[in-house]
């Protein structure tokens, strides 16, 4: 289950671990960058290569009464995240302008392709002018080394000063154009697989249907009522302690969570995945590089006040960062990880009966699969991931369908995304329990993850043996999002007497427990 990616807002509010904040309440964001007015667009990136420049160091500013100053109390201090640049091939965007623009439109992106091309052309012009002035400066410097009449030397000194002043202005313009071009180009979405249906979520195509809805001979309860009757959850106490959309798991529900996690990790390991536990606090820049928004009105990310760090919304983020800024030997690919983590999401804008109980919560446990592979292999690994998910959920006896999601439902990095929606009889509808995304080289271009192909041709004598590096492809898929799996299991395996049967596949991971019996006072 992915996080949606877009940038918006100009005002942030501060709360401890606020979802959208590192400023004092009602404080306007100071102008840190000439591109701040462009941050309303999705932070996206196109799949083409260009070396990513190194990141610069962090910049600290402070703000008081909407005015940026050099110093101020620590309470008002704002840390600007280190700058980074995505590896974008602007030339390719210009040469394929119509295709890029059509793709952005199909994905409901407001990326401005005309502006990207315009800025790129301006940057080339300014860069050419800067190079010309630098050449003139070098000519003058060489002439100054010889014997000259005082008047001629003075004339060259004046010319040098004028060139220097012009260069300073142009070099500053060049930096600003580079930043603005980078920001606009990062709004361009990943290209889309040709078989992906065009349109909104209702245009998504059913790929496969597994099983049939169970027929009940009694009145069906939803998971909230079942959890109350079986003494498995406490939403009221959690609301007092933490707020809405939090929960306590109790009794057999704790065993069920642990059993689901161990079962999912074990099944993935059987298929060649390396198990990981991950940091659950990461730098904001890593969140951005993976294609998620760490700050914004509708962000799904909790940002930590006064820092450049965030709580993760999925293990995809820290796993994606584990090989950041590295070159992987081709012989090491593919790399397959299965990661357990707690996940934190603001669930901004979510409300209503469809989100009650465990279906949409702020904190949950999840097991995530992540693959790094050669570009030519990513489509086949995408199919492998969805097949693993189908095998896992089939082994639990669930009725579900897999969907090829339409263009407007794709997150920023996804080239193609398959969702799994399981039948939840208590809710009376299908609900998403998993997704599998092929992100091609969208994330690797931001994270700086490359591999070096092994050449089959022996190098010539005296020549280097290293082949040029290429960006790897990344894929991710949910093996088990615990709360929604609990919803499915309780609602599908409930019995007339109020008890719930444990699927056979999970029993070895729950100490042999076969049934959760009703509690009576």
């Amino acid at each position: 289950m992915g996080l949606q990616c877009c940038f918006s807002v100009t005002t942030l509010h501060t709360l401890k671990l606020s979802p959208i904040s590192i400023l004092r309440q009602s404080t306007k964001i100071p102008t840190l960058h000439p591109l701040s007015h462009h941050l309303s667009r999705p932070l996206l990136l196109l799949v083409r290569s260009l070396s990513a420049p190194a990141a610069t160091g962090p910049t600290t500013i402070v703000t008081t009464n909407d005015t940026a100053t050099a110093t101020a109390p620590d309470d008002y201090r704002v840390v600007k995240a280190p700058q980074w640049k995505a590896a974008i091939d602007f030339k390719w965007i210009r040469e394929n302008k119509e295709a890029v623009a059509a793709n952005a439109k199909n994905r409901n992106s407001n990326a401005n392709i005309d502006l990207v091309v315009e800025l790129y052309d301006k940057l080339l012009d300014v860069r050419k002018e800067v190079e010309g002035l630098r050449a003139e400066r070098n000519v003058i410097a060489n002439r100054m080394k010889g014997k000259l009449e005082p008047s001629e030397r003075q004339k060259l000194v004046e010319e040098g000063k004028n060139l220097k002043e012009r260069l300073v202005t142009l070099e500053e313009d060049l930096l600003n154009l580079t930043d603005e071009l980078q920001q606009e180009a990062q709004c361009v979405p990943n290209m889309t697989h040709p078989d992906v249906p065009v349109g909104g979520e209702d245009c998504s195509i059913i790929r496969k249907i597994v099983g049939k809805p169970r027929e009940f001979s009694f009145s069906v309860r939803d998971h909230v009522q079942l959890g109350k009757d079986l003494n498995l959850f406490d939403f009221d106490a959690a609301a007092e302690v933490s707020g809405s959309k939090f929960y306590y798991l109790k009794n057999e529900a704790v065993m069920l969570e642990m059993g689901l996690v161990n079962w999912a990790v074990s099944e993935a390991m059987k298929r060649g995945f390396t198990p990981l536990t991950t940091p659950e606090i990461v730098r904001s820049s890593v969140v951005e590089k993976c294609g998620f928004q760490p700050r914004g009105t509708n962000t799904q990310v909790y940002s930590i006040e006064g820092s450049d760090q965030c709580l993760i919304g999925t293990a995809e983020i820290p796993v994606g960062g584990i090989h950041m800024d590295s070159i992987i030997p081709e012989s090491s690919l593919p790399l397959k990880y299965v990661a357990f983590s707690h996940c934190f999401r603001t669930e901004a804008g979510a409300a209503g009966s469809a989100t009650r109980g465990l279906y949409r919560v702020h904190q949950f446990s999840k097991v995530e699969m992540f693959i790094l592979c050669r570009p030519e292999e990513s489509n086949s690994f995408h199919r492998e991931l969805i097949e693993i998910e189908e095998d896992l959920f089939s082994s639990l006896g669930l009725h579900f369908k897999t969907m090829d999601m339409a263009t407007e439902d794709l997150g920023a990095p996804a080239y193609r995304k398959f969702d799994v929606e399981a039948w939840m009889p208590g809710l009376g509808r299908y609900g998403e329990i998993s997704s599998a995304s092929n992100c091609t080289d969208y994330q690797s271009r931001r994270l700086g993850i490359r591999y070096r192909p092994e050449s089959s041709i022996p190098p010539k004598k005296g020549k280097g043996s290293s082949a040029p590096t290429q960006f790897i492809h990344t894929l991710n898929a949910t093996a088990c999002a615990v709360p929604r799996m609990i919803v499915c299991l309780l609602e599908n395996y409930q019995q007339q007497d109020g008890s719930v049967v444990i699927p056979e596949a999970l029993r070895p991971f729950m100490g042999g427990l076969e049934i959760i019996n009703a509690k009576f006072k």
Side-chain angles (χ1 to χ4, degrees):
M1 290 172 288
L3 296 174
Q4 293 302 311
C5 315
C6 62
F7 261 91
S8 61
V9 352
T10 56
T11 303
L12 304 181
H13 300 280
T14 294
L15 295 173
K16 295 296 182 181
L17 290 181
S18 163
I20 49 174
S21 70
I22 53 172
L23 297 182
R24 280 284 182 181
Q25 187 172 7
S26 298
T27 300
K28 299 287 186 181
I29 297 180
T31 302
L32 306 180
H33 189 286
L35 304 175
S36 59
H37 63 287
H38 293 307
L39 297 182
S40 61
R41 302 189 176 95
L43 185 59
L44 308 171
L45 171 62
L46 188 68
V47 259
R48 286 287 164 178
S49 65
L50 193 69
S51 297
T56 62
T59 300
T60 301
I61 68 162
V62 293
T63 177
T64 306
N65 297 329
D66 300 334
T67 304
T69 58
T71 58
D74 288 342
D75 278 353
Y76 291 89
R77 188 171 299 276
V78 179
V79 180
K80 184 181 178 183
Q83 294 297 304
W84 59 273
K85 289 182 172 61
I88 303 171
D89 188 339
F90 302 109
K91 181 181 178 182
W92 188 90
I93 294 177
R94 181 175 63 178
E95 292 174 350
N96 297 273
K97 178 180 172 181
E98 291 184 3
V100 174
N103 178 69
K105 182 180 179 181
N106 289 340
R107 294 175 70 126
N108 199 28
S109 167
N110 56 2
N112 190 335
I113 310 304
D114 288 333
L115 181 57
V116 170
V117 173
E118 178 185 339
L119 289 170
Y120 178 57
D121 288 339
K122 284 183 179 179
L123 181 132
L124 292 180
D125 291 340
V126 174
R127 183 181 293 164
K128 184 177 181 180
E129 190 173 355
V130 166
E131 291 171 352
L133 290 178
R134 286 172 179 169
E136 288 184 40
R137 183 182 60 184
N138 291 337
V139 170
I140 291 175
N142 288 331
R143 289 179 62 188
M144 293 281 286
K145 293 176 183 178
K147 290 185 177 181
L148 299 171
E149 294 293 329
S151 59
E152 188 175 356
R153 181 175 295 276
Q154 183 59 36
K155 182 180 178 182
L156 290 176
V157 168
E158 292 299 323
E159 288 182 17
K161 287 182 179 179
N162 291 335
L163 281 175
K164 182 179 179 181
E165 290 175 0
R166 290 170 61 192
L167 266 174
V168 167
T169 300
L170 282 175
E171 286 172 346
E172 184 177 352
D173 290 343
L174 188 62
L175 287 175
N176 290 336
L177 272 172
T178 300
D179 287 341
E180 188 170 3
L181 174 59
Q182 180 70 206
Q183 196 69 52
E184 286 294 335
Q186 286 177 13
C187 295
V188 179
N190 195 348
M191 298 303 284
T192 308
H193 190 286
D195 293 340
V196 170
V198 176
E201 184 176 359
D202 57 348
C203 295
S204 300
I205 297 172
I206 297 176
R207 299 179 65 253
K208 186 176 183 180
I209 297 178
V210 177
K212 296 180 180 179
R214 177 186 167 190
E215 295 183 1
F216 294 88
S217 60
F218 56 88
S219 180
V220 176
R221 302 177 180 91
D222 68 6
H223 73 282
V224 177
Q225 186 62 50
L226 288 165
K228 182 178 180 181
D229 294 343
L230 296 172
N231 196 23
L232 300 179
F233 317 136
D234 193 333
F235 293 103
D236 293 337
E240 292 295 325
V241 171
S242 303
S244 63
K245 294 191 176 74
F246 287 93
Y247 57 95
Y248 286 96
L249 295 183
K250 301 164 62 177
N251 300 313
E252 292 92 343
V254 178
M255 298 174 63
L256 187 54
E257 166 159 323
M258 293 180 176
L260 282 166
V261 168
N262 287 323
W263 163 76
V265 171
S266 175
E267 289 297 317
M269 288 175 64
K270 290 177 184 177
R271 294 164 170 84
F273 286 75
T274 300
L276 293 175
T277 60
T278 73
E280 293 172 358
I281 295 177
V282 297
R283 298 185 186 279
S284 299
S285 59
V286 178
V287 177
E288 293 173 357
K289 290 175 183 180
C290 287
F292 305 116
Q293 65 169 95
R295 306 224 182 341
T297 301
N298 293 315
T299 182
Q300 295 297 308
V301 180
Y302 282 102
S303 296
I304 300 177
E305 179 187 12
S307 79
D308 68 340
Q309 295 173 313
C310 303
L311 301 182
I312 65 170
T314 169
E316 171 189 345
I317 296 168
V319 178
I322 198 170
H323 293 289
M324 185 166 59
D325 299 324
S326 64
I327 298 174
I328 301 171
E330 185 176 21
S331 59
S332 298
L333 297 176
L335 293 172
K336 297 181 176 182
Y337 296 109
V338 56
F340 166 73
S341 74
H342 297 100
C343 303
F344 306 87
R345 300 185 184 181
T346 69
E347 297 298 350
S353 60
T355 64
R356 69 190 298 259
L358 292 176
Y359 188 80
R360 197 176 298 280
V361 290
H362 291 310
Q363 176 183 336
F364 59 96
S365 300
K366 183 160 71 80
V367 178
E368 185 82 1
M369 297 179 287
F370 195 93
I371 296 178
L372 302 94
C373 68
R374 302 172 187 85
E376 62 271 19
E377 297 175 328
S378 63
N379 284 329
S380 63
F381 278 122
H382 194 205
R383 291 190 294 271
E384 177 181 318
L385 286 172
I386 192 62
E387 288 170 1
I388 291 173
E389 291 180 334
E390 290 169 352
D391 288 346
L392 292 178
F393 305 138
S394 294
S395 72
L396 296 180
L398 299 179
H399 164 52
F400 61 88
K401 56 185 179 180
T402 62
M403 310 289 294
D404 193 349
M405 303 308 291
T407 52
E408 292 181 19
D409 197 66
L410 300 180
Y415 174 65
R416 192 178 194 181
K417 180 167 76 87
F418 300 142
D419 277 3
V420 179
E421 297 182 357
W423 179 247
M424 301 177 179
L427 296 178
R429 63 179 178 86
Y430 290 94
E432 181 190 344
I433 60 170
S434 181
S435 67
S437 297
N438 181 1
C439 298
T440 61
D441 56 2
Y442 175 91
Q443 293 174 327
S444 65
R445 289 177 180 282
R446 294 176 165 211
L447 292 164
I449 309 175
R450 297 173 168 85
Y451 79 99
R452 192 179 301 282
E454 296 175 350
S455 177
S456 59
I457 302 175
K460 294 181 180 180
K461 187 176 180 180
K463 300 288 184 179
S465 60
S466 296
T469 60
Q470 298 180 31
F471 287 102
I472 57 95
H473 280 198
T474 63
L475 305 96
N476 63 83
T478 306
C480 180
V482 169
R484 293 194 183 178
M485 289 302 294
I486 291 178
V487 172
C488 285
L489 295 176
L490 293 184
E491 295 188 358
N492 282 285
Y493 282 93
Q494 61 181 294
Q495 306 299 304
Q496 188 168 4
D497 64 358
S499 63
V500 174
V501 173
I502 301 298
E504 288 188 18
L506 288 180
R507 293 174 188 176
F509 300 92
M510 296 182 64
L513 182 67
E514 297 181 4
I515 190 167
I516 302 175
N517 286 305
K519 279 36 171 207
F520 297 98
K521 294 183 179 180

